[in-house]
């Protein structure tokens, strides 16, 4: 699936001057719609590109953690290693299993339904029997490892500096803006992904710590920035339909984020190889280019997913997967006109995609159940914000 971000694309030189000509939302729309590569540079990128050419210099950097494991990036590569937390090896096993199930489901689905969504490439599951791996990698890891269980996949890279700077300019509190350069230089703020919260409209709480890692981009902020929220709703609705009716999983606790990926070349063609020999084949071998990045919508985190059957118990799992997840989905009941429109888009796209996949009546029953529950929650004042 990662190859959907690796096709030939146009290049855009992205700097602050360019960003000033576009609202951030319009820029994201341009990058997503044209499948463009942006050209970026920094000392960190230069360092990683050098490491890529000399793999002996590779090391692990801590990117973050969740309930299941701690995530490390291997410098100079497009790989990440998720290492299980104490007594969480079963959850990590389920994560990699469901990851593979979902990856195969999307690969088997027509490109029109999955055009705008990317899944990190499945790599390998590592257990204590992989002695050589742990002997080579235990020492470089920056955190003490208690469980020798890990999952390797491709990495979702953070968004570029001008995009992160725009978020600070628009939404950060005054004290952060006052030390903007220092704030942006912090490692944790360089690993910036946008969580697409189509179901949260509430104002950002100024008392909460402002951070860019896993930045919660709310629907109100998307509208302020000029983002194409209908496109996001369409992409997420189609992805949910594939998760439900091709992968046959409940989509519990999955995430939808905007992130980037480096330019990844393709192997040389047969015609190119005919013009070469074994000494100069390297002249056409395509490689990882960390200076050029594409921006896209990614689907990740499958550790809480499970299979379901088409019965009442299965319907409860689908409802739970919708309501107990972070607010990536539009609100089914709202007094806000934009929210009403967005839910209609989501609903219609989900049902249209589902109809191309299954003849079951369960997709419509699912949407009806979500709307009924939405009305109940609205009356009780507990609708997610």
């Amino acid at each position: 699936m990662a190859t959907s971000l690796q096709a030939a694309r146009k290049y855009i030189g992205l700097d602050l001057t360019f960003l000033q000509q576009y609202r951030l939302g319009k820029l994201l729309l341009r990058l997503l719609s044209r499948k463009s590569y942006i050209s970026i540079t920094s000392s960190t990128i230069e360092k990683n590109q050098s490491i890529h050419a000399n793999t002996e210099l590779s090391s692990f950097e801590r990117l973050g953690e969740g309930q299941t494991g701690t995530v490390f990036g291997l410098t100079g590569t497009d790989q990440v290693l998720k290492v299980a937390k104490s007594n969480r090896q079963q959850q990590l096993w389920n994560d990699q299993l469901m990851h593979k199930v979902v990856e195969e489901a999307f690969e088997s689905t027509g490109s029109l339904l999955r055009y705008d969504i990317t899944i990190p490439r499945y790599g390998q599951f590592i257990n204590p029997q992989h002695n050589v791996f742990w002997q080579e990698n235990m020492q470089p890891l920056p955190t003490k490892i208690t469980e020798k269980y890990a999952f390797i996949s491709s990495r979702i890279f953070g968004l570029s500096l001008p995009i992160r700077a725009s978020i600070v300019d628009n939404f950060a509190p005054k004290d952060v803006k006052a030390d903007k350069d220092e704030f942006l230089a912090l490692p944790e703020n360089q690993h910036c992904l946008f969580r697409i919260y189509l179901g949260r409209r509430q104002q950002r709480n100024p008392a909460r710590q402002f951070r860019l890692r896993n930045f919660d981009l709310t629907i109100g902020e998307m509208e302020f920035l000029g983002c194409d929220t209908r496109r996001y709703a369409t992409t997420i609705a189609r992805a949910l339909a594939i998760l439900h009716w091709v992968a046959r999983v409940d989509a519990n606790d999955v995430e939808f984020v905007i992130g980037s990926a480096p330019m990844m070349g393709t192997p040389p063609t047969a015609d190119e190889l005919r013009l070469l020999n074994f000494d100069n084949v390297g002249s056409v071998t395509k490689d990882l280019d960390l200076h050029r990045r594409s921006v896209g919508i990614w689907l990740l985190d499958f550790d809480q997913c499970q299979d379901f059957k088409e019965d009442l118990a299965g319907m409860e799992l689908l409802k739970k997967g919708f309501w107990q997840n972070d607010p990536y989905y539009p609100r089914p009941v709202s007094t806000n006109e934009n929210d009403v429109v967005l839910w209609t888009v989501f609903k219609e796209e989900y049902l249209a995609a589902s109809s191309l996949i299954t003849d079951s009546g369960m997709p419509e029953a699912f949407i009806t159940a979500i709307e009924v529950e939405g009305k109940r929650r609205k009356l009780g004042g507990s609708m997610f914000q």
Side-chain angles (χ1 to χ4, degrees):
M1 285 304 300
T3 54
S4 66
L5 286 179
Q6 296 168 2
R9 305 180 182 205
K10 296 181 179 180
Y11 299 111
I12 298 177
L14 182 59
D15 55 25
L16 289 174
T17 301
F18 181 91
L19 188 57
Q20 288 169 357
Q21 297 174 3
Y22 294 88
R23 293 181 67 187
L24 179 56
K26 298 298 183 183
L27 173 61
L28 291 175
L29 172 61
R30 180 177 179 182
L31 293 173
L32 291 169
S33 62
R34 297 190 180 188
K35 296 296 182 182
S36 303
Y37 279 106
I38 57 177
S39 179
I40 57 177
T41 185
S42 71
S43 59
T44 301
I45 292 172
E46 293 295 340
K47 177 182 177 181
N48 277 282
Q49 193 67 54
S50 298
I51 293 173
H52 178 67
N54 186 358
T55 55
E56 293 182 357
L57 300 177
S58 291
S59 62
F60 287 98
E61 58 177 335
R62 189 177 183 278
L63 301 179
E65 65 177 278
Q67 294 182 351
T68 299
T70 304
V71 180
F72 302 93
L74 182 60
T75 59
T77 76
D78 70 336
Q79 292 185 326
V80 292
L81 180 76
K82 180 185 283 188
V83 181
K85 289 184 175 180
S86 181
N87 298 319
R88 293 300 179 97
Q89 55 265 40
Q90 182 58 52
Q91 287 93 325
L92 186 65
W93 174 257
N94 189 66
D95 189 8
Q96 66 85 36
L97 173 61
M98 292 293 102
H99 189 126
K100 192 60 178 175
V101 168
V102 171
E103 182 180 69
E104 291 180 353
F106 275 73
E107 288 175 345
S108 69
T109 302
S111 59
L112 288 179
L113 289 184
R114 57 176 174 85
Y115 175 73
D116 273 346
I117 200 82
T118 303
I119 300 169
R121 185 177 63 255
Y122 180 96
Q124 182 182 4
F125 188 81
I126 306 292
N127 64 23
Q129 282 69 52
H130 290 82
N131 292 319
V132 174
F133 176 87
W134 291 115
Q135 288 171 6
E136 292 179 349
N137 294 294
M138 281 289 282
Q139 190 65 30
L141 286 170
T143 303
K144 183 178 179 181
I145 301 302
T146 59
E147 299 285 356
K148 291 185 178 180
Y149 296 90
F151 173 45
I152 298 173
S153 65
S154 62
R155 176 176 177 175
I156 307 173
F157 284 78
L159 295 163
S160 64
L161 176 59
I163 294 176
R164 289 183 281 120
S166 180
I167 289 295
V168 172
D169 291 339
N170 282 288
F171 304 123
K174 291 181 179 180
D175 60 323
V176 172
K177 291 180 181 179
D179 296 317
K180 175 180 171 182
D181 291 342
E182 182 179 345
F183 176 82
L184 290 170
L186 293 173
E188 60 266 30
N189 290 322
Q190 296 179 28
H191 308 309
C192 172
L193 306 176
F194 291 167
R195 287 173 167 163
I196 310 172
Y197 279 2
L198 297 177
R200 176 174 292 170
R201 185 169 286 280
Q202 68 185 29
Q203 299 262 339
R204 189 168 298 277
N205 185 351
R208 293 186 61 183
Q209 182 181 10
F210 187 85
R211 65 176 191 174
L212 294 181
R213 173 182 282 167
N214 296 329
F215 185 80
D216 301 340
L217 190 63
T218 67
I219 182 63
E221 292 167 342
M222 292 181 222
E223 292 170 350
F224 175 80
L225 294 171
C227 295
D228 188 349
T229 56
R230 294 191 185 192
R231 178 171 187 156
Y232 297 168
T234 295
T235 298
I236 293 175
R238 292 174 178 177
L240 186 62
I242 297 171
L243 286 166
H244 284 169
W245 311 115
V246 183
R248 311 290 293 189
V249 299
D250 60 0
N252 188 26
D253 210 32
V254 299
E255 294 192 35
F256 295 92
V257 303
I258 297 176
S260 71
M263 180 177 178
M264 182 77 74
T266 56
T269 65
D271 288 340
E272 287 175 325
L273 290 174
R274 291 181 190 279
L275 300 174
L276 303 168
N277 58 47
F278 48 78
D279 284 325
N280 63 8
V281 66
S283 63
V284 295
T285 300
K286 311 300 192 301
D287 211 346
L288 188 71
D289 186 351
L290 296 167
H291 295 98
R292 302 189 186 279
R293 304 282 179 89
S294 54
V295 175
I297 299 175
W298 295 74
L299 169 63
L300 69 153
D301 278 0
F302 309 103
D303 57 310
Q304 298 298 312
C305 290
Q306 58 181 304
D307 302 322
F308 70 91
K309 295 181 180 180
E310 291 195 31
D311 55 21
L312 291 177
M315 178 62 74
E316 289 304 310
L317 287 176
L318 297 190
K319 288 166 59 179
K320 177 183 175 182
F322 182 95
W323 287 109
Q324 293 192 10
N325 200 352
D326 288 340
Y328 296 105
Y329 313 117
R331 291 180 288 187
V333 179
S334 176
T335 56
N336 183 287
E337 183 178 345
N338 290 343
D339 289 342
V340 173
V341 171
L342 205 61
W343 171 253
T344 301
V345 170
F346 179 89
K347 170 182 176 179
E348 292 178 350
E349 291 292 343
Y350 174 86
L351 291 175
S354 299
S355 70
L356 297 175
I357 299 169
T358 179
D359 294 329
S360 169
M362 201 165 175
E364 289 194 9
F366 165 71
I367 290 294
T368 299
I370 294 301
E371 291 180 330
V372 169
E373 177 65 12
K375 292 176 182 178
R376 187 190 71 79
R377 291 184 176 225
K378 188 68 174 178
L379 290 173
S382 62
M383 178 75 72
F384 52 63
Q385 298 298 316

